[in-house]
Amino acid sequence: MVVSLRLVSPKSLSFLSRIQTPKVSSLGPSTPLAPAFYSTHIVGDSPILVRDFIHSALYDPDHGYFSKQSSSVGVLDQTIKFHNLQGRKAYMKHLDNIYKQHDISWFTPVELFKPWYAHGIAEAILRTANLSVPLKIYEIGGGSGTCAKGIMDYMMLNAPTRVYNNMTYTSVEISPALAKKQLETVAEVGSHLSKFNVECRDATDRSGWGTEELPCWVIMLEVLDNLPHDLIYTENQVSPWKEVWVQKQQDSRSELSELFKPIQDPLITKCMELLDLDKDQKTQGSSTILAAKNVWAKLFPKPKRSWLPTGCLELLEVLHGALPKMSLIASDFSYLPDVRILGDRAPLVSTKKDGCSKDHNSYLDAKGDADIFFPTDFGLLERMEHYCSGWLKPDLDKSTKQGKKRRTIMLDTSLFMEEFGMPTKTRTKDGYNPLLDDFKNTKFYLSVPTHNTK
């Protein structure tokens, strides 16, 4: 996502279930996919950076995955009554029936556990927000509007009346179809509509934001995993890193290949500095040691790839510039299983058709019919936030003389829901709780401003 954000991430259950539960998908008639287009349509005569290729593969208005797959984002007709289910086996059977009935590909956690998932987020906001000013919430990639409605429902029932009456909730959504769906969902409660607004735009475009000096909240549920990443490559242990670009193969109209260039892109450079990827080359020591390393690298070359969350860095820079007093709640994958693509923080690239998922061996296989999603390095996310807030200097992990401008915490989803949610509401008769037991590779990230604003 440059942020052509988002939709809801269409994989929460199915890929999490690779660790804890059998994969659950629709076994009934499937929604036919639009014909795949050659991914070379994304790449013109000139090479493009990997992040631009990923952005187009996911968000191109005509061929992008989310543009073509928006109808597959599922909406439950009613809340799942977990108390009526005996246990895990009954839950999985019930879920399978739901998929068959709705003939869609994916349900997200906020949908599967509605309204309780959104209520947990709302409670976290209520406990932390400065209620002396009107509550203002932005959600990036609001999906079908289930989270927005759940949070507004909770505020209406549990917050002081003045808080609900004066609150505003803005969804920043790239998809016109989903923007329309969000309005329909929120409109189920008439009093919500006057407080709710959808802005159909790219969240990473700074021109779309004004400047909000008052405290506000930003919610990003499964947004970070679909943000475009860049890729860098080194052929051995001592060679400098190079940017990876995507180009058409000269002898083929439908095949793509990679092109390696010296590091020049500013976003890539910033990410590398924050990761300190050049540390080993900066501290290689004496010429004798360096010569030995060069010989070793030639005898036993060890190519390496590293995926950089440049889209996330770009989004954080925009948000901190536009909303300097924002508080942030983000939820995403902390790691992904069964990744076939090489490199640190490498993505899963997966196509779903006829109820079955197929994982690809290369991101270049994405032709508008494949989701591309990444694990989130939450430690790096925290460093990027400190950098974008103006506190952390990327070089050598130095900080400014002022105190930190952000207080951050990372919690497993189960811990977050136990603290802020109502976990008894998603518990089955025998004690099995899919919200707490199945989502082991997801975390919540909370960040709030401190008083160190200078």
Side-chain angles (χ1 to χ4, degrees):
M1 312 181 178
V2 214
V3 193
S4 302
L5 301 185
R6 163 147 147 172
L7 319 190
V8 154
S9 150
K11 58 267 171 180
S12 308
L13 179 70
S14 295
F15 286 103
L16 288 168
S17 64
R18 295 186 180 188
I19 304 174
Q20 297 297 325
T21 62
K23 184 180 291 186
V24 178
S25 59
S26 172
L27 301 180
S30 62
T31 303
L33 295 173
F37 75 111
Y38 286 125
S39 53
T40 49
H41 291 188
I42 298 172
V43 184
D45 295 332
S46 300
I48 59 174
L49 282 166
V50 169
R51 68 168 179 264
D52 296 322
F53 173 82
I54 292 175
H55 180 274
S56 295
L58 292 177
Y59 302 111
D60 182 274
D62 297 319
H63 304 295
Y65 174 78
F66 287 122
S67 299
K68 297 199 299 181
Q69 301 297 314
S70 60
S71 61
S72 67
V73 176
V75 179
L76 291 179
D77 298 328
Q78 58 185 358
T79 298
I80 296 176
K81 296 179 174 60
F82 296 92
H83 291 168
N84 294 340
L85 301 174
Q86 180 59 39
R88 183 175 180 274
K89 184 176 180 180
Y91 168 72
M92 299 304 291
K93 182 178 180 180
H94 180 71
L95 207 58
D96 183 47
N97 290 334
I98 290 174
Y99 273 102
K100 290 178 180 178
Q101 293 168 8
H102 288 76
D103 186 23
I104 54 87
S105 298
W106 311 100
F107 284 107
T108 58
V110 73
E111 192 69 38
L112 286 174
F113 303 107
K114 70 177 180 185
W116 318 119
Y117 196 93
H119 285 187
I121 295 170
E123 175 62 19
I125 291 174
L126 264 186
R127 288 195 206 174
T128 315
N130 177 3
L131 300 181
S132 65
V133 298
L135 178 61
K136 181 171 287 191
I137 299 174
Y138 295 92
E139 183 180 2
I140 297 176
S144 62
T146 297
C147 181
K149 181 181 179 297
I151 288 177
M152 297 182 80
D153 287 347
Y154 191 85
M155 296 301 177
M156 181 176 65
L157 296 173
N158 297 279
T161 302
R162 62 177 176 80
V163 172
Y164 172 73
N165 288 341
N166 296 320
M167 75 176 292
T168 59
Y169 197 113
T170 301
S171 172
V172 180
E173 175 59 62
I174 195 69
S175 166
L178 286 174
K180 180 180 177 182
K181 180 60 181 175
Q182 290 168 24
L183 286 169
E184 293 172 354
T185 301
V186 172
E188 293 174 12
V189 178
S191 60
H192 291 350
L193 269 181
S194 63
K195 305 165 179 58
F196 182 75
N197 180 47
V198 179
E199 296 179 0
C200 202
R201 60 183 176 85
D202 184 336
T204 58
D205 184 352
R206 180 63 177 87
S207 65
W209 300 90
T211 299
E212 176 58 68
E213 297 294 345
L214 293 176
C216 62
W217 283 83
V218 175
I219 299 171
M220 298 191 294
L221 304 182
E222 296 176 272
V223 164
L224 301 175
D225 61 281
N226 280 139
L227 287 172
H229 284 53
D230 271 294
L231 179 62
I232 57 175
Y233 170 83
T234 180
E235 59 187 12
N236 56 48
Q237 300 90 313
V238 294
S239 295
W241 289 98
K242 293 184 177 181
E243 301 172 353
V244 181
W245 293 61
V246 180
Q247 64 180 354
K248 289 182 180 180
Q249 288 189 10
Q250 293 182 353
D251 56 348
S252 173
R253 297 182 61 185
S254 62
E255 296 298 324
L256 300 173
S257 62
E258 294 180 332
L259 174 68
F260 307 112
K261 297 184 179 183
I263 300 293
Q264 292 183 324
D265 181 75
L267 270 176
I268 291 177
T269 301
K270 287 181 188 176
C271 262
M272 291 182 65
E273 290 174 341
L274 286 163
L275 279 165
D276 210 4
L277 286 175
D278 288 330
K279 180 178 180 180
D280 291 339
Q281 294 178 356
K282 293 175 183 175
T283 58
Q284 286 177 333
S286 67
S287 57
T288 302
I289 296 176
L290 179 59
K293 287 187 175 182
N294 280 324
V295 172
W296 183 264
K298 290 180 180 179
L299 292 174
F300 303 100
K302 191 176 181 182
K304 188 173 182 180
R305 291 169 173 254
S306 183
W307 291 87
L308 306 179
T310 46
C312 177
L313 177 59
E314 184 177 26
L315 177 59
L316 288 175
E317 286 185 319
V318 167
L319 291 176
H320 278 280
L323 313 170
K325 295 183 180 179
M326 73 166 180
S327 295
L328 174 66
I329 293 183
S331 175
D332 231 302
F333 300 100
S334 54
Y335 68 93
L336 295 170
D338 307 325
V339 174
R340 299 179 180 182
I341 296 171
L342 298 176
D344 297 334
R345 297 169 297 277
L348 272 171
V349 178
S350 182
T351 300
K352 191 177 183 72
K353 188 175 182 180
D354 297 331
C356 297
S357 293
K358 175 188 176 183
D359 292 348
H360 298 278
N361 295 321
S362 171
Y363 68 94
L364 296 177
D365 292 335
K367 297 179 174 65
D369 60 349
D371 194 2
I372 307 171
F373 55 106
F374 295 81
T376 295
D377 182 335
F378 282 86
L380 177 56
L381 174 63
E382 183 182 47
R383 285 177 61 83
M384 288 193 296
E385 253 238 289
H386 285 316
Y387 168 74
C388 293
S389 72
W391 176 74
L392 180 68
K393 295 180 180 179
D395 58 311
L396 302 179
D397 199 20
K398 290 181 179 179
S399 61
T400 62
K401 294 181 180 179
Q402 293 83 12
K404 288 184 180 180
K405 295 185 178 182
R406 310 289 298 178
R407 286 181 294 156
T408 61
I409 185 172
M410 289 159 268
L411 296 171
D412 291 339
T413 295
S414 59
L415 291 176
F416 178 91
M417 289 300 171
E418 286 174 344
E419 176 66 28
F420 299 110
M422 291 173 274
T424 57
K425 299 292 187 178
T426 55
R427 185 181 299 156
T428 60
K429 291 180 180 179
D430 67 1
Y432 164 71
N433 192 326
L435 178 57
L436 303 185
D437 297 338
D438 287 354
F439 290 76
K440 300 297 186 183
N441 61 337
T442 62
K443 292 181 183 292
F444 272 84
Y445 176 84
L446 284 76
S447 170
V448 299
T450 67
H451 297 297
N452 301 308
T453 57
K454 293 184 178 182

